[in-house]
Amino acid sequence: MLFVTPELAPWMKSGGLGDVSMALPGALHRLGVDVRVLVPGYSPLAAAFERAKTVAELPHPGGVLAGARLRTARAASGVPLLILDCPEYYRRPGGAYQDARGRDWPDNHLRFGLLSRVAALLSTAATPAPWQPHVVHCNDWPTALAPAYAHYAGGARAATVLTVHNLAFQGIFPPHTLAELGLPPQAFAIDGVEYYGKLSFLKGGLFFTDGLATVSPTYAREIQTDESGFGLGGLLRVRSARLIGILNGIDTAAWNPATDAHLAARYDFARIEKKALNKAALQRSLGLAVEAEVPLLGVVSRLTEQKGLDVLAAIAPMLVRLPAQLVMLGSGEKRFEQAVAALARQFPGGVAAVIGFDERLAHLIEAGADIFVMPSRYEPCGLNQMYSLRYGTPPVVRATGGLADTVIDCNPASLADGSATGFVFHELAGAALLAAIGRAVSAWRDRSVWRALQKNGMAQDFSWERSARQYCALYESLFAPR
Ligand code: ADP
């Protein structure tokens, strides 16, 4: 199986996909699947695997795409990597999709066209690599042209699977890029890559892929509607029979409060009182009042429209008056970064904000906060609510996507049957969020209720093995009839 991805943690990560791309192939490898990961040779990867061996030259894949070479290395998990080395496209300072100032790279269609094209090439008998997969598993728009390229190449090929991690990002480019990408003119049609007069990587992928997955059962249903389908709801309804939701797992080794080196104190449920040391450390290091008896709300998030933090910011004055404290770690759009920083200035000692990407602090917030908050407008799967469950930090979440599939609302019935793990609200509005946080704070003040919630959450199985088994079944269902 060939797993194709534009992000691979720890070298290149802009969100959850970087983590998924390291963990899922690792879990498949442990199940005995012969899996390799195809990833662009970004500068950090090229530096980390300086001595990677060249296994194939790809002189001129077609269109105006640059030539490249494939190099092999092995990740610490044991998974072989196929590094797509093309210095002209990938060796730059900055992120996978944007430069250091947050502007999209102007040649993204070529950068990810090449990635898709090489994935398709590897899936055919013409593969330049000494290995041919039965299944090519693509992830998000940067890889989504692979099924289209494979289709237009014709002949025998591997089955394709496309996982949609976030439907909002679609890779839409002007029509003239079709020729640059080396796609035939007839591809620019409703039964091809055309989308409202433009070229869409994701639409092409959704149309041509054999198997289709997304990262939670609820999100799989939501994206088939016109409201949440980002313009692709109709196509997704047509492909409904092929679409399944498989929840992401989490990296249970990196995110384990019993062994986490980023914490001030390590703990598990049997030593849950040690969690308080992390709260104090967090309060102290961020200039919050060091108060055990004031509930501390935590946020770790990309700062974008999707995450609904504008709704949280609007009720911050009410939260401070409860009283509660709020710590927010995030980076993203400037307007949200400024709004979050302004809140911290407005409520010194009550609200702390750190703008930036900080892995260590993310772990400390998961451990040190009492309650985690995720008021997302939509959330395909979400990782942070699973981390927070595991860290005994019950989350307050909006009932959308993977949040709805992983958090069970606390009420008398769910407490009685031992399923309660957090607090769920529905309407994306300040009043609804405030009410849910109010319920959480009341429960937090009741020691026995809170311990029950923590225990239920900490016992959840979010291992990748579970997801990997579901993906294996999907691969087999596609492969068997061929
Ligand atoms: P998304 O993929 O939409 O960003 P997820 O919850 O699925 O959301 O995954 C987010 C991942 O990125 C988590 O591992 C989270 O801890 C991490 N993360 C997000 N923002 C930051 C940040 N500012 N600092 C550290 N880690 C962050």
Side-chain angles (χ1 to χ4, degrees):
M1 197 276 286
L2 181 70
F3 188 92
V4 193
T5 180
E7 296 183 30
L8 186 63
W11 303 285
M12 187 54 80
K13 161 172 163 171
S14 80
L17 178 55
D19 294 325
V20 171
S21 301
M22 184 40 85
L24 176 55
L28 289 162
H29 178 77
R30 286 192 294 279
L31 290 180
V33 178
D34 178 5
V35 49
R36 309 191 183 193
V37 175
L38 176 67
V39 61
Y42 303 113
S43 302
L45 259 154
F49 297 103
E50 232 170 12
R51 286 198 291 275
K53 200 170 109 213
T54 297
V55 285
E57 295 284 346
L58 308 160
H60 183 67
V64 303
L65 298 175
R69 60 172 60 84
L70 273 181
R71 303 171 71 203
T72 55
R74 201 173 277 272
S77 59
V79 174
L81 306 180
L82 288 172
I83 298 173
L84 181 58
D85 190 21
C86 176
E88 184 186 339
Y89 284 174
Y90 306 129
R91 290 206 208 167
R92 313 174 169 176
Y97 319 110
Q98 296 174 330
D99 66 18
R101 288 172 54 192
R103 292 169 306 196
D104 284 351
W105 297 112
D107 56 352
N108 270 346
H109 62 295
L110 299 178
R111 299 171 69 241
F112 297 115
L114 181 69
L115 178 62
S116 298
R117 180 125 201 186
V118 170
L121 190 62
L122 294 177
S123 79
T124 67
T127 176
W131 175 77
Q132 196 188 341
H134 298 307
V135 176
V136 174
H137 184 165
C138 303
N139 294 278
D140 273 354
W141 78 263
T143 64
L145 279 189
Y149 279 123
H151 169 83
Y152 292 112
R157 59 171 177 87
T160 48
V161 170
L162 172 61
T163 295
V164 177
H165 298 264
N166 191 334
L167 193 68
F169 304 117
Q170 303 186 348
I172 295 176
F173 299 96
H176 70 80
T177 55
L178 187 84
E180 295 179 12
L181 289 165
L183 284 164
Q186 72 270 22
F188 200 72
I190 186 150
D191 57 351
V193 301
E194 187 268 346
Y195 178 73
Y196 292 106
K198 297 198 166 139
L199 181 153
S200 164
F201 274 54
L202 188 61
K203 188 254 165 161
L206 296 178
F207 187 82
F208 287 112
T209 188
D210 300 310
L212 187 50
T214 189
V215 290
S216 68
T218 297
Y219 192 61
R221 287 192 299 276
E222 288 171 345
I223 60 177
Q224 296 180 47
T225 64
D226 289 336
E227 308 83 75
S228 305
F230 290 95
L232 291 165
L235 174 55
L236 286 162
R237 286 196 290 279
V238 170
R239 303 236 53 199
S240 185
R242 278 286 172 210
L243 172 61
I244 64 165
I246 299 178
L247 270 178
N248 285 330
I250 61 174
D251 181 339
T252 50
W255 293 92
N256 179 355
T259 55
D260 191 334
H262 298 300
L263 306 192
R266 278 154 283 284
Y267 60 95
D268 50 23
F269 185 72
R271 295 171 292 162
I272 192 75
E273 65 287 346
K274 290 228 169 117
K275 191 175 187 303
L277 299 173
N278 293 300
K279 178 174 177 177
L282 188 58
Q283 287 170 320
R284 200 172 308 114
S285 68
L286 296 180
L288 292 168
V290 182
E291 301 258 21
E293 293 309 314
V294 175
L296 176 56
L297 312 178
V299 171
V300 178
S301 184
R302 284 186 298 114
L303 299 179
T304 62
E305 178 84 6
Q306 176 195 341
K307 301 297 180 174
L309 295 169
D310 46 322
V311 179
L312 179 65
I315 61 164
M318 272 88 90
L319 296 176
V320 172
R321 277 203 297 275
L322 274 177
Q325 294 176 339
L326 178 59
V327 48
M328 296 198 266
L329 166 64
S331 61
E333 289 173 35
K334 287 284 166 289
R335 59 186 170 129
F336 292 119
E337 292 186 349
Q338 284 160 1
V340 164
L343 270 185
R345 282 196 303 275
Q346 195 183 345
F347 299 106
V351 177
V354 177
I355 305 302
F357 199 94
D358 185 337
E359 192 76 30
R360 187 199 65 85
L361 185 57
H363 285 245
L364 190 60
I365 291 173
E366 291 289 1
D370 295 302
I371 297 163
F372 200 83
V373 186
M374 286 181 83
S376 306
R377 286 199 158 71
Y378 65 91
E379 193 62 73
C381 176
L383 296 172
N384 280 304
Q385 82 282 11
M386 294 192 265
Y387 300 154
S388 78
L389 289 167
R390 197 164 154 80
Y391 277 62
T393 308
V396 172
V397 303
R398 182 153 175 270
T400 181
L403 300 177
D405 292 328
T406 53
V407 181
I408 307 285
D409 188 52
C410 177
N411 56 44
S414 62
L415 270 176
D417 69 17
S419 62
T421 54
F423 301 85
V424 182
F425 68 101
H426 292 264
E427 197 197 345
L428 184 71
L433 175 57
L434 187 61
I437 292 176
R439 286 197 294 130
V441 168
S442 303
W444 177 74
R445 296 203 180 283
D446 184 329
R447 177 59 60 97
S448 69
V449 167
W450 201 251
R451 287 287 182 262
L453 266 183
Q454 289 178 307
K455 187 174 188 187
N456 296 344
M458 292 176 89
Q460 299 290 309
D461 174 15
F462 293 126
S463 69
W464 272 105
E465 189 183 323
R466 216 179 49 158
S467 316
R469 287 191 189 284
Q470 291 176 274
Y471 272 109
C472 277
L474 173 60
Y475 302 150
E476 275 159 17
S477 75
L478 297 170
F479 183 55
R482 297 176 81 84

